[in-house]
Amino acid sequence: MRRILVERARHKQSLKAGGGFRRQDLSDIQPAVGGPDLDLLALNEALDNLEKRDRRQAELIKLRFFAGLTIEQAAEVLGISTSTAENDWAHARCWLRLEMEAGEGERP
C-alpha cells in the first residue's frame, strides 16, 4: 500500500500531471467579468407561462439558454428546420423579455 501511495504522490508532482500548479478553491476567485443581471425566478416563471402557450418555443429556449446548443443543434433535437428554430428563437426571446418586464412591476 505504501508503494502505491508513494507512486501516486510522485505522479501528482510530475509536470504531465500539473506538478507545478496548486489547487485553488473556486469560491475564492472573483470573476473577471460579472454575469448578466438575471432574475432566474422570473425567468423560470416566464418559461412556465411560455410552455403553457407554446411548448416547442419553451423547449428551444431551454436547449439554447441552459444546454448551450446552437440553433442548428437545437433544431435537430426538436426535429424542426433551422429557419423555424430561428423564428421561434426570436419570438420566444422577445416574448420572455416582455413577460419578465411585466412581472417586475408586480414584485415588491
Side-chain angles (χ1 to χ4, degrees):
M1 185 62 164
R2 177 178 155 206
R3 189 169 8 124
I4 293 170
L5 293 174
V6 169
E7 286 302 315
R8 179 77 175 141
R10 282 186 186 140
H11 175 71
K12 282 186 176 182
Q13 291 180 353
S14 70
L15 289 178
K16 187 175 181 180
F21 298 104
R22 298 289 170 235
R23 291 183 185 236
Q24 186 172 3
D25 195 79
L26 287 178
S27 62
D28 296 338
I29 300 172
Q30 295 295 326
V33 177
D37 188 22
L38 180 64
D39 185 0
L40 287 177
L41 295 177
L43 176 61
N44 184 50
E45 186 178 325
L47 264 175
D48 288 343
N49 292 338
L50 179 61
E51 194 164 16
K52 292 173 189 172
R53 189 175 168 278
D54 190 330
R55 179 176 287 273
R56 185 179 71 203
Q57 287 183 2
E59 287 301 315
L60 179 64
I61 292 290
K62 290 175 191 175
L63 290 172
R64 292 285 324 249
F65 188 79
F66 294 108
L69 299 182
T70 64
I71 285 284
E72 293 79 15
Q73 292 169 334
E76 186 176 331
V77 168
L78 294 173
I80 59 177
S81 70
T82 303
S83 60
T84 301
E86 289 171 349
N87 290 338
D88 283 354
W89 174 247
H91 182 267
R93 277 187 8 219
C94 181
W95 189 89
L96 282 173
R97 186 181 61 234
L98 293 173
E99 184 76 11
M100 289 174 67
E101 286 173 0
E104 284 178 3
E106 299 169 5
R107 290 191 176 84

XYZ file of all heavy atoms in Angstrom:
854
model
N 0.824 -1.197 0.000
C 0.000 0.000 0.000
C 0.868 1.261 0.000
O 0.561 2.235 -0.673
C -0.929 -0.037 1.218
C -1.887 1.086 1.249
S -2.944 0.974 -0.201
C -4.235 2.023 0.218
N 1.967 1.213 0.759
C 2.862 2.365 0.824
C 3.418 2.686 -0.559
O 3.488 3.845 -0.967
C 3.981 2.060 1.800
C 4.982 3.146 1.893
C 6.027 2.812 2.916
N 7.251 3.518 2.606
C 8.441 3.123 2.952
N 8.573 2.003 3.620
N 9.485 3.824 2.648
N 3.814 1.663 -1.308
C 4.370 1.856 -2.641
C 3.349 2.532 -3.560
O 3.676 3.439 -4.332
C 4.789 0.505 -3.215
C 5.562 0.632 -4.466
C 6.212 -0.679 -4.902
N 5.825 -1.847 -4.145
C 5.309 -2.960 -4.662
N 5.147 -3.060 -5.944
N 4.985 -3.980 -3.900
N 2.100 2.142 -3.442
C 1.027 2.729 -4.255
C 0.867 4.208 -3.916
O 0.767 5.057 -4.807
C -0.290 1.963 -4.058
C -0.155 0.553 -4.624
C -1.453 2.708 -4.694
C -1.313 -0.350 -4.270
N 0.852 4.530 -2.639
C 0.700 5.917 -2.212
C 1.884 6.772 -2.654
O 1.718 7.916 -3.084
C 0.519 5.995 -0.702
C -0.792 5.402 -0.168
C -0.784 5.401 1.353
C -1.978 6.164 -0.701
N 3.091 6.235 -2.580
C 4.277 6.973 -2.996
C 4.239 7.207 -4.503
O 4.524 8.320 -4.978
C 5.564 6.220 -2.576
C 6.796 6.819 -3.225
C 5.708 6.236 -1.059
N 3.892 6.201 -5.288
C 3.803 6.366 -6.741
C 2.734 7.388 -7.116
O 2.904 8.171 -8.043
C 3.528 5.019 -7.424
C 4.720 4.100 -7.458
C 5.907 4.724 -8.159
O 5.744 5.323 -9.236
O 7.030 4.617 -7.605
N 1.646 7.371 -6.411
C 0.568 8.337 -6.666
C 1.054 9.763 -6.390
O 0.780 10.689 -7.147
C -0.651 8.000 -5.800
C -1.800 8.915 -5.958
C -2.535 8.616 -7.226
N -3.710 9.468 -7.274
C -4.143 10.044 -8.369
N -3.565 9.805 -9.502
N -5.187 10.813 -8.337
N 1.782 9.941 -5.290
C 2.314 11.255 -4.939
C 3.341 11.725 -5.976
O 3.354 12.894 -6.361
C 2.951 11.208 -3.553
N 4.181 10.818 -6.446
C 5.152 11.171 -7.487
C 4.444 11.577 -8.772
O 4.852 12.532 -9.438
C 6.069 9.985 -7.766
C 7.127 9.800 -6.738
C 8.099 8.710 -7.147
N 9.023 8.475 -6.067
C 9.459 7.278 -5.694
N 9.068 6.209 -6.341
N 10.300 7.168 -4.702
N 3.405 10.846 -9.125
C 2.653 11.174 -10.339
C 2.029 12.569 -10.247
O 2.071 13.341 -11.197
C 1.578 10.128 -10.597
C 0.699 10.467 -11.762
N 1.147 10.413 -13.065
C -0.588 10.901 -11.821
C 0.166 10.785 -13.879
N -0.895 11.085 -13.137
N 1.478 12.893 -9.109
C 0.847 14.206 -8.928
C 1.859 15.336 -9.034
O 1.513 16.445 -9.430
C 0.146 14.276 -7.569
C -1.169 13.574 -7.526
C -1.850 13.815 -6.199
C -3.219 13.196 -6.174
N -3.913 13.473 -4.902
N 3.120 15.074 -8.690
C 4.149 16.109 -8.751
C 4.795 16.214 -10.121
O 5.536 17.159 -10.383
C 5.213 15.858 -7.698
C 4.707 16.079 -6.290
C 5.764 15.820 -5.247
O 6.849 15.347 -5.548
N 5.441 16.133 -4.002
N 4.520 15.285 -11.014
C 5.130 15.338 -12.341
C 4.526 16.481 -13.146
O 3.395 16.915 -12.928
C 4.929 14.010 -13.077
O 3.580 13.844 -13.434
N 5.298 16.999 -14.096
C 4.821 18.105 -14.931
C 3.612 17.700 -15.750
O 2.708 18.503 -15.964
C 5.944 18.595 -15.857
C 7.078 19.338 -15.179
C 8.145 19.711 -16.199
C 6.564 20.572 -14.468
N 3.602 16.475 -16.218
C 2.488 15.996 -17.035
C 1.176 16.037 -16.257
O 0.112 16.280 -16.808
C 2.770 14.577 -17.519
C 1.773 14.054 -18.501
C 2.193 12.701 -19.027
C 1.202 12.184 -20.035
N 1.604 10.873 -20.550
N 1.247 15.807 -14.966
C 0.046 15.810 -14.132
C -0.184 17.153 -13.457
O -0.983 17.264 -12.531
C 0.139 14.703 -13.081
N 0.537 18.205 -13.913
C 0.328 19.540 -13.352
C 1.069 19.763 -12.071
O 0.601 20.484 -11.188
N 2.253 19.166 -11.927
C 3.040 19.248 -10.699
C 3.383 20.649 -10.257
O 3.546 20.907 -9.082
N 3.515 21.589 -11.189
C 3.874 22.956 -10.825
C 2.693 23.796 -10.369
O 2.861 24.918 -9.927
N 1.508 23.262 -10.475
C 0.309 24.021 -10.114
C -0.279 23.528 -8.806
O -0.145 22.372 -8.434
C -0.755 23.870 -11.211
C -0.311 24.419 -12.540
C 0.082 23.567 -13.562
C -0.278 25.780 -12.765
C 0.488 24.062 -14.772
C 0.136 26.289 -13.977
C 0.527 25.434 -14.990
N -0.928 24.416 -8.109
C -1.612 24.070 -6.857
C -3.097 24.346 -7.019
O -3.498 25.309 -7.673
C -1.059 24.888 -5.685
C 0.386 24.628 -5.417
C 0.572 23.228 -4.816
N 1.978 22.892 -4.783
C 2.482 21.802 -5.329
N 1.722 20.954 -5.956
N 3.767 21.549 -5.255
N -3.888 23.530 -6.395
C -5.346 23.706 -6.464
C -5.764 24.955 -5.705
O -5.190 25.303 -4.684
C -6.060 22.502 -5.877
C -5.918 21.284 -6.705
C -6.701 20.141 -6.108
N -6.446 18.951 -6.870
C -7.382 18.215 -7.432
N -8.638 18.520 -7.271
N -7.075 17.143 -8.115
N -6.798 25.594 -6.232
C -7.347 26.762 -5.571
C -8.859 26.628 -5.597
O -9.452 26.267 -6.619
C -6.926 28.040 -6.284
C -7.341 29.280 -5.550
C -6.736 30.528 -6.169
O -6.049 30.474 -7.176
N -6.998 31.667 -5.559
N -9.487 26.907 -4.493
C -10.926 26.785 -4.389
C -11.606 27.842 -5.244
O -11.228 29.017 -5.204
C -11.360 26.937 -2.925
C -12.776 26.465 -2.721
O -12.987 25.245 -2.632
O -13.668 27.331 -2.670
N -12.583 27.439 -6.039
C -13.263 28.375 -6.933
C -14.029 29.465 -6.185
O -14.227 30.548 -6.704
C -14.211 27.623 -7.864
C -13.543 26.820 -8.961
C -14.593 26.070 -9.782
C -12.724 27.706 -9.867
N -14.446 29.173 -4.977
C -15.191 30.188 -4.227
C -14.283 31.356 -3.818
O -14.765 32.432 -3.505
C -15.841 29.568 -2.999
O -14.850 29.043 -2.128
N -12.958 31.147 -3.844
C -12.026 32.221 -3.501
C -11.723 33.142 -4.674
O -11.133 34.201 -4.499
C -10.701 31.623 -3.006
C -10.869 30.832 -1.715
O -11.863 31.089 -0.998
O -10.024 29.972 -1.428
N -12.102 32.749 -5.870
C -11.781 33.510 -7.069
C -12.946 34.423 -7.430
O -14.091 33.980 -7.507
C -11.470 32.563 -8.243
C -10.275 31.679 -7.903
C -11.213 33.351 -9.514
C -10.025 30.596 -8.910
N -12.645 35.684 -7.668
C -13.658 36.635 -8.105
C -13.712 36.621 -9.628
O -12.667 36.681 -10.279
C -13.325 38.050 -7.621
C -13.355 38.205 -6.118
C -14.753 37.986 -5.571
O -15.745 38.328 -6.202
N -14.832 37.381 -4.392
N -14.890 36.561 -10.226
C -14.959 36.563 -11.687
C -14.458 37.883 -12.257
O -14.694 38.950 -11.694
C -16.446 36.365 -11.985
C -17.152 36.723 -10.733
C -16.191 36.502 -9.606
N -13.757 37.790 -13.390
C -13.220 38.982 -14.032
C -14.342 39.835 -14.603
O -14.298 41.051 -14.576
C -12.238 38.598 -15.128
N -15.352 39.190 -15.128
C -16.481 39.890 -15.722
C -17.740 39.386 -15.046
O -17.965 38.180 -14.963
C -16.551 39.614 -17.240
C -17.760 40.289 -17.840
C -15.287 40.061 -17.921
N -18.552 40.277 -14.587
C -19.798 39.879 -13.953
C -20.762 39.304 -14.977
O -20.786 39.715 -16.131
N -21.535 38.329 -14.568
C -22.520 37.731 -15.455
C -23.705 38.665 -15.643
O -23.792 39.732 -15.029
N -24.618 38.276 -16.503
C -25.782 39.124 -16.717
C -26.625 39.203 -15.451
O -26.710 38.245 -14.690
C -26.537 38.419 -17.847
C -26.059 37.007 -17.800
C -24.663 37.043 -17.266
N -27.190 40.365 -15.234
C -28.054 40.553 -14.087
C -29.405 39.950 -14.442
O -30.245 40.599 -15.069
C -28.178 42.050 -13.767
C -28.909 42.285 -12.473
O -28.950 41.366 -11.631
O -29.456 43.387 -12.309
N -29.603 38.691 -14.070
C -30.771 37.949 -14.492
C -31.497 37.401 -13.284
O -30.883 36.780 -12.416
C -30.335 36.802 -15.420
C -31.411 35.905 -15.958
C -32.354 36.683 -16.868
C -30.784 34.765 -16.736
N -32.780 37.631 -13.235
C -33.605 37.084 -12.176
C -34.070 35.703 -12.619
O -34.978 35.564 -13.439
C -34.801 38.015 -11.924
C -35.648 37.564 -10.752
O -35.333 36.526 -10.125
O -36.637 38.256 -10.464
N -33.411 34.663 -12.099
C -33.726 33.302 -12.525
C -35.133 32.877 -12.121
O -35.761 32.085 -12.812
C -32.693 32.319 -11.983
C -31.334 32.381 -12.661
C -30.357 31.423 -12.006
C -31.452 32.074 -14.139
N -35.636 33.408 -11.022
C -37.004 33.070 -10.611
C -38.015 33.641 -11.602
O -38.982 32.974 -11.970
C -37.283 33.574 -9.203
C -36.446 32.930 -8.095
C -36.761 33.569 -6.759
C -36.662 31.433 -8.049
N -37.770 34.865 -12.049
C -38.663 35.479 -13.038
C -38.562 34.734 -14.368
O -39.577 34.515 -15.038
C -38.318 36.947 -13.226
N -37.353 34.331 -14.734
C -37.174 33.567 -15.967
C -37.895 32.238 -15.888
O -38.563 31.825 -16.837
C -35.688 33.349 -16.256
C -35.370 32.480 -17.475
C -35.919 33.108 -18.746
C -33.870 32.248 -17.581
N -37.805 31.565 -14.757
C -38.479 30.281 -14.583
C -39.991 30.436 -14.705
O -40.661 29.651 -15.373
C -38.099 29.668 -13.229
C -38.696 28.306 -13.044
O -38.587 27.439 -13.906
N -39.353 28.109 -11.913
N -40.510 31.464 -14.077
C -41.952 31.718 -14.144
C -42.384 32.051 -15.574
O -43.399 31.548 -16.071
C -42.315 32.865 -13.199
C -43.799 33.126 -13.088
C -44.082 34.241 -12.093
O -43.365 34.350 -11.092
O -45.046 34.996 -12.352
N -41.599 32.875 -16.248
C -41.913 33.242 -17.632
C -41.817 32.013 -18.543
O -42.637 31.841 -19.448
C -40.975 34.340 -18.114
N -40.833 31.147 -18.299
C -40.711 29.923 -19.096
C -41.902 28.999 -18.878
O -42.379 28.353 -19.816
C -39.423 29.182 -18.738
C -38.230 29.436 -19.620
C -37.002 28.748 -19.085
C -38.487 29.037 -21.040
N -42.381 28.919 -17.638
C -43.580 28.115 -17.361
C -44.781 28.654 -18.138
O -45.561 27.890 -18.709
C -43.895 28.100 -15.863
C -42.908 27.250 -15.075
O -42.195 26.431 -15.693
O -42.844 27.424 -13.838
N -44.917 29.980 -18.174
C -46.019 30.588 -18.927
C -45.872 30.348 -20.426
O -46.851 30.082 -21.123
C -46.103 32.088 -18.636
C -46.529 32.378 -17.219
O -47.147 31.540 -16.564
N -46.194 33.547 -16.735
N -44.633 30.440 -20.921
C -44.390 30.180 -22.340
C -44.684 28.729 -22.688
O -45.227 28.439 -23.749
C -42.947 30.531 -22.710
C -42.534 30.279 -24.160
C -43.381 31.114 -25.113
C -41.062 30.581 -24.358
N -44.351 27.828 -21.785
C -44.595 26.406 -22.039
C -46.087 26.107 -22.154
O -46.497 25.278 -22.955
C -43.968 25.563 -20.928
C -43.873 24.103 -21.279
C -42.925 23.355 -20.367
O -42.567 23.882 -19.291
O -42.545 22.241 -20.738
N -46.894 26.814 -21.367
C -48.346 26.660 -21.487
C -48.839 27.176 -22.833
O -49.793 26.661 -23.395
C -49.051 27.416 -20.360
C -48.819 26.822 -18.994
C -49.408 27.711 -17.911
C -48.993 27.236 -16.538
N -49.376 28.172 -15.479
N -48.170 28.209 -23.325
C -48.573 28.857 -24.567
C -48.019 28.139 -25.799
O -48.731 27.912 -26.772
C -48.063 30.300 -24.527
C -48.555 31.188 -25.602
C -48.055 32.604 -25.346
N -48.271 33.420 -26.502
C -47.461 33.455 -27.556
N -46.389 32.719 -27.572
N -47.738 34.228 -28.578
N -46.714 27.784 -25.756
C -46.071 27.136 -26.905
C -44.925 26.261 -26.395
O -43.838 26.758 -26.103
C -45.533 28.189 -27.882
C -45.082 27.587 -29.200
O -44.642 26.425 -29.212
O -45.162 28.290 -30.215
N -45.163 24.975 -26.301
C -44.198 24.029 -25.742
C -42.895 23.999 -26.550
O -41.810 23.945 -25.986
C -44.808 22.646 -25.663
C -43.865 21.588 -25.112
C -44.540 20.262 -24.966
N -45.474 20.245 -23.866
C -45.113 19.957 -22.608
N -43.880 19.671 -22.339
N -46.008 19.953 -21.650
N -42.986 24.043 -27.881
C -41.789 23.954 -28.721
C -40.866 25.142 -28.482
O -39.649 24.983 -28.367
C -42.187 23.869 -30.194
C -40.987 23.640 -31.109
C -41.374 23.544 -32.543
N -41.780 24.873 -33.017
C -42.568 25.072 -34.055
N -43.064 24.052 -34.727
N -42.870 26.293 -34.430
N -41.418 26.335 -28.389
C -40.594 27.511 -28.140
C -39.928 27.430 -26.766
O -38.765 27.797 -26.609
C -41.416 28.787 -28.270
C -41.765 29.123 -29.690
C -42.519 30.447 -29.809
O -42.758 31.131 -28.828
N -42.884 30.796 -31.029
N -40.671 26.942 -25.778
C -40.101 26.803 -24.435
C -38.953 25.795 -24.448
O -37.904 26.023 -23.826
C -41.175 26.378 -23.442
N -39.114 24.690 -25.151
C -38.047 23.701 -25.255
C -36.830 24.287 -25.967
O -35.696 24.018 -25.582
C -38.538 22.453 -25.990
C -39.481 21.595 -25.181
C -38.867 21.092 -23.890
O -37.702 20.626 -23.914
O -39.541 21.175 -22.847
N -37.068 25.078 -27.003
C -35.977 25.709 -27.730
C -35.189 26.644 -26.814
O -33.954 26.644 -26.811
C -36.513 26.480 -28.941
C -35.477 27.205 -29.788
C -34.525 26.216 -30.442
C -36.165 28.045 -30.843
N -35.875 27.435 -26.016
C -35.213 28.337 -25.074
C -34.378 27.532 -24.089
O -33.229 27.867 -23.804
C -36.237 29.218 -24.319
C -36.900 30.211 -25.269
C -35.594 29.929 -23.128
C -35.996 31.315 -25.758
N -34.924 26.455 -23.560
C -34.181 25.631 -22.602
C -32.930 25.040 -23.242
O -31.860 25.026 -22.637
C -35.067 24.505 -22.071
C -36.180 24.971 -21.170
C -37.075 23.815 -20.802
C -38.341 24.277 -20.117
N -39.264 23.155 -19.871
N -33.065 24.548 -24.466
C -31.916 23.956 -25.155
C -30.838 24.997 -25.448
O -29.643 24.736 -25.297
C -32.359 23.290 -26.459
C -33.179 22.019 -26.311
C -33.726 21.578 -27.662
C -32.349 20.912 -25.683
N -31.247 26.186 -25.858
C -30.274 27.228 -26.190
C -29.672 27.849 -24.928
O -28.457 27.985 -24.818
C -30.938 28.347 -27.012
C -31.386 28.005 -28.402
C -30.249 27.897 -29.392
N -29.184 28.850 -29.165
C -28.883 29.867 -29.926
N -29.556 30.092 -31.020
N -27.889 30.675 -29.637
N -30.501 28.239 -23.993
C -30.035 29.004 -22.838
C -29.349 28.119 -21.799
O -28.278 28.437 -21.320
C -31.212 29.748 -22.196
C -30.802 30.717 -21.119
C -30.303 31.954 -21.458
C -30.924 30.386 -19.792
C -29.916 32.852 -20.469
C -30.545 31.274 -18.798
C -30.041 32.507 -19.144
N -29.973 27.000 -21.441
C -29.451 26.177 -20.363
C -28.495 25.088 -20.848
O -27.529 24.772 -20.165
C -30.599 25.552 -19.571
C -31.421 26.566 -18.835
C -32.697 26.874 -19.252
C -30.915 27.233 -17.737
C -33.462 27.820 -18.588
C -31.664 28.182 -17.070
C -32.942 28.469 -17.495
N -28.757 24.510 -22.014
C -27.882 23.446 -22.523
C -26.768 24.003 -23.405
O -25.802 23.310 -23.691
C -28.700 22.416 -23.291
N -26.905 25.242 -23.875
C -25.860 25.873 -24.663
C -25.757 25.378 -26.097
O -24.718 25.505 -26.722
N -26.835 24.816 -26.627
C -26.816 24.323 -28.002
C -26.923 25.480 -28.995
O -27.463 26.533 -28.680
C -27.972 23.355 -28.246
C -28.005 22.078 -27.407
C -29.183 21.216 -27.817
C -26.717 21.299 -27.527
N -26.430 25.265 -30.188
C -26.580 26.252 -31.261
C -27.980 26.108 -31.848
O -28.701 25.144 -31.547
C -25.547 26.010 -32.373
O -25.805 24.737 -32.968
C -24.123 26.074 -31.838
N -28.354 27.048 -32.698
C -29.664 26.974 -33.366
C -29.772 25.664 -34.146
O -30.795 24.983 -34.084
C -29.854 28.181 -34.309
C -30.144 29.450 -33.518
C -30.961 27.945 -35.321
C -31.548 29.561 -32.981
N -28.713 25.318 -34.882
C -28.737 24.111 -35.703
C -28.890 22.857 -34.846
O -29.669 21.965 -35.172
C -27.458 24.007 -36.553
C -27.323 25.073 -37.610
C -26.837 26.416 -37.075
O -26.322 26.483 -35.934
O -26.991 27.412 -37.807
N -28.161 22.785 -33.738
C -28.242 21.628 -32.851
C -29.622 21.531 -32.206
O -30.202 20.441 -32.124
C -27.168 21.720 -31.772
C -25.760 21.573 -32.291
C -24.722 21.943 -31.240
O -24.984 22.737 -30.321
N -23.527 21.370 -31.383
N -30.154 22.645 -31.737
C -31.469 22.637 -31.101
C -32.554 22.264 -32.107
O -33.483 21.523 -31.775
C -31.762 24.004 -30.484
N -32.433 22.758 -33.347
C -33.411 22.413 -34.383
C -33.393 20.910 -34.651
O -34.450 20.288 -34.808
C -33.121 23.185 -35.666
N -32.203 20.339 -34.681
C -32.088 18.902 -34.909
C -32.718 18.106 -33.767
O -33.433 17.137 -34.003
C -30.619 18.518 -35.049
C -30.408 17.080 -35.437
C -28.941 16.760 -35.649
O -28.169 17.656 -36.039
O -28.583 15.594 -35.427
N -32.486 18.530 -32.539
C -33.064 17.853 -31.371
C -34.591 17.927 -31.420
O -35.283 16.943 -31.135
C -32.537 18.464 -30.057
C -33.332 17.982 -28.869
C -31.056 18.149 -29.881
N -35.117 19.093 -31.798
C -36.566 19.283 -31.827
C -37.212 18.733 -33.102
O -38.437 18.648 -33.180
C -36.905 20.768 -31.677
C -36.549 21.389 -30.325
C -36.763 22.893 -30.357
C -37.369 20.761 -29.216
N -36.389 18.414 -34.095
C -36.926 17.879 -35.344
C -37.612 18.933 -36.195
O -38.608 18.651 -36.856
N -37.070 20.154 -36.176
C -37.629 21.249 -36.973
C -36.524 21.823 -37.846
O -35.338 21.546 -37.631
C -38.251 22.353 -36.087
C -37.216 22.942 -35.118
C -39.461 21.819 -35.332
C -37.719 24.082 -34.261
N -36.891 22.641 -38.816
C -35.895 23.253 -39.685
C -35.169 24.372 -38.936
O -35.678 24.921 -37.952
C -36.546 23.812 -40.946
O -37.336 24.933 -40.630
N -34.002 24.724 -39.441
C -33.217 25.793 -38.825
C -33.942 27.130 -38.904
O -33.919 27.906 -37.946
C -31.844 25.901 -39.519
O -31.202 24.631 -39.440
C -30.967 26.927 -38.855
N -34.606 27.393 -40.025
C -35.316 28.674 -40.157
C -36.484 28.752 -39.171
O -36.743 29.814 -38.599
C -35.801 28.878 -41.593
O -36.681 27.861 -41.969
N -37.170 27.629 -38.955
C -38.252 27.610 -37.962
C -37.684 27.850 -36.571
O -38.262 28.605 -35.780
C -39.007 26.271 -38.006
O -39.547 26.097 -39.312
C -40.121 26.221 -36.982
N -36.547 27.241 -36.290
C -35.912 27.427 -34.983
C -35.485 28.885 -34.794
O -35.654 29.436 -33.705
C -34.710 26.497 -34.846
N -34.943 29.503 -35.842
C -34.546 30.912 -35.736
C -35.752 31.804 -35.486
O -35.689 32.738 -34.667
C -33.818 31.350 -37.001
C -32.431 30.749 -37.130
C -31.783 31.005 -38.473
O -32.470 31.468 -39.413
O -30.576 30.746 -38.591
N -36.861 31.540 -36.180
C -38.083 32.324 -35.968
C -38.620 32.115 -34.555
O -39.007 33.082 -33.881
C -39.154 31.946 -36.995
C -38.810 32.417 -38.382
O -38.033 33.341 -38.565
N -39.388 31.762 -39.381
N -38.658 30.861 -34.109
C -39.132 30.571 -32.755
C -38.231 31.219 -31.708
O -38.707 31.751 -30.705
C -39.187 29.059 -32.515
C -40.382 28.396 -33.167
O -41.235 29.112 -33.723
O -40.461 27.150 -33.116
N -36.918 31.175 -31.946
C -35.958 31.755 -31.013
C -36.182 33.259 -30.868
O -36.232 33.789 -29.762
C -34.546 31.450 -31.503
C -33.431 32.089 -30.730
C -32.590 33.046 -31.181
C -33.033 31.815 -29.384
N -31.679 33.386 -30.203
C -31.925 32.640 -29.085
C -33.498 30.960 -28.396
C -31.285 32.633 -27.852
C -32.850 30.954 -27.169
C -31.766 31.776 -26.905
N -36.334 33.951 -31.988
C -36.551 35.396 -31.956
C -37.864 35.732 -31.256
O -37.918 36.633 -30.405
C -36.541 35.964 -33.374
N -38.921 35.006 -31.594
C -40.226 35.273 -30.991
C -40.220 34.966 -29.499
O -40.716 35.757 -28.686
C -41.311 34.454 -31.701
C -42.666 34.706 -31.162
N -43.219 33.940 -30.169
C -43.581 35.662 -31.459
C -44.427 34.407 -29.884
N -44.663 35.452 -30.651
N -39.660 33.825 -29.122
C -39.670 33.421 -27.714
C -38.830 34.362 -26.859
O -39.224 34.709 -25.742
C -39.166 31.986 -27.581
N -37.671 34.798 -27.365
C -36.842 35.734 -26.610
C -37.582 37.036 -26.361
O -37.578 37.577 -25.246
C -35.549 36.029 -27.377
C -34.487 35.018 -27.178
C -33.160 35.395 -27.785
N -33.092 36.747 -28.306
C -32.469 37.086 -29.414
N -31.869 36.185 -30.136
N -32.439 38.335 -29.812
N -38.216 37.547 -27.391
C -38.974 38.793 -27.262
C -40.126 38.616 -26.274
O -40.342 39.454 -25.399
C -39.485 39.230 -28.625
S -40.397 40.772 -28.591
N -40.844 37.508 -26.406
C -41.989 37.246 -25.541
C -41.534 37.118 -24.091
O -42.164 37.679 -23.182
C -42.706 35.969 -25.990
C -44.008 35.762 -25.298
C -45.226 36.219 -25.684
C -44.223 35.051 -24.066
N -46.182 35.838 -24.776
C -45.590 35.120 -23.771
C -43.395 34.379 -23.199
C -46.142 34.527 -22.651
C -43.941 33.788 -22.063
C -45.297 33.875 -21.806
N -40.434 36.401 -23.864
C -39.926 36.241 -22.496
C -39.492 37.572 -21.899
O -39.746 37.845 -20.729
C -38.746 35.264 -22.476
C -39.095 33.789 -22.557
C -37.824 32.962 -22.704
C -39.879 33.337 -21.342
N -38.814 38.397 -22.708
C -38.384 39.703 -22.203
C -39.585 40.542 -21.772
O -39.601 41.135 -20.698
C -37.559 40.440 -23.258
C -36.973 41.743 -22.720
C -36.181 42.511 -23.749
N -37.055 42.862 -24.871
C -36.799 42.576 -26.148
N -35.708 41.942 -26.472
N -37.633 42.920 -27.090
N -40.612 40.577 -22.609
C -41.809 41.339 -22.258
C -42.504 40.758 -21.035
O -42.977 41.499 -20.161
C -42.772 41.383 -23.451
C -42.285 42.176 -24.666
C -43.261 41.997 -25.831
C -42.109 43.636 -24.317
N -42.543 39.448 -20.956
C -43.179 38.773 -19.817
C -42.425 39.074 -18.524
O -43.031 39.343 -17.486
C -43.214 37.261 -20.074
C -43.909 36.465 -19.029
C -45.423 36.552 -19.086
O -45.972 37.064 -20.066
O -46.062 36.090 -18.117
N -41.102 39.061 -18.593
C -40.305 39.323 -17.395
C -40.392 40.796 -16.986
O -40.419 41.110 -15.799
C -38.856 38.904 -17.630
C -38.691 37.392 -17.695
S -37.035 36.851 -18.128
C -36.112 37.384 -16.699
N -40.440 41.699 -17.968
C -40.585 43.122 -17.651
C -41.950 43.392 -17.030
O -42.062 44.197 -16.108
C -40.403 43.965 -18.891
C -38.964 44.057 -19.351
C -38.812 44.768 -20.695
O -39.835 45.187 -21.281
O -37.659 44.887 -21.162
N -42.971 42.729 -17.519
C -44.303 42.900 -16.939
C -44.338 42.351 -15.515
O -45.002 42.911 -14.640
C -45.349 42.207 -17.804
N -43.620 41.265 -15.293
C -43.579 40.655 -13.950
C -42.817 41.468 -12.939
O -43.058 41.385 -11.753
N -41.868 42.300 -13.400
C -41.085 43.131 -12.476
C -41.960 44.144 -11.754
O -41.730 44.464 -10.596
C -39.978 43.872 -13.215
C -38.803 43.008 -13.573
C -37.750 43.764 -14.350
O -37.907 44.974 -14.561
O -36.756 43.131 -14.732
N -42.979 44.636 -12.421
C -43.870 45.617 -11.802
C -44.708 45.022 -10.702
O -45.131 45.708 -9.785
N -44.899 43.705 -10.736
C -45.721 43.038 -9.729
C -44.927 42.665 -8.496
O -45.491 42.440 -7.441
C -46.346 41.768 -10.328
C -47.238 42.041 -11.512
C -47.632 40.769 -12.234
O -47.292 39.669 -11.752
O -48.287 40.877 -13.266
N -43.596 42.574 -8.584
C -42.769 42.148 -7.469
C -42.471 43.325 -6.561
O -42.296 44.447 -7.003
C -41.466 41.555 -7.992
C -41.694 40.233 -8.678
C -40.384 39.535 -8.941
N -40.655 38.241 -9.512
C -40.876 38.017 -10.801
N -40.884 39.017 -11.640
N -41.111 36.820 -11.235
N -42.331 43.036 -5.265
C -42.008 44.110 -4.315
C -40.607 44.613 -4.474
O -39.734 43.995 -4.926
C -42.197 43.465 -2.952
C -42.145 41.990 -3.155
C -42.500 41.757 -4.596
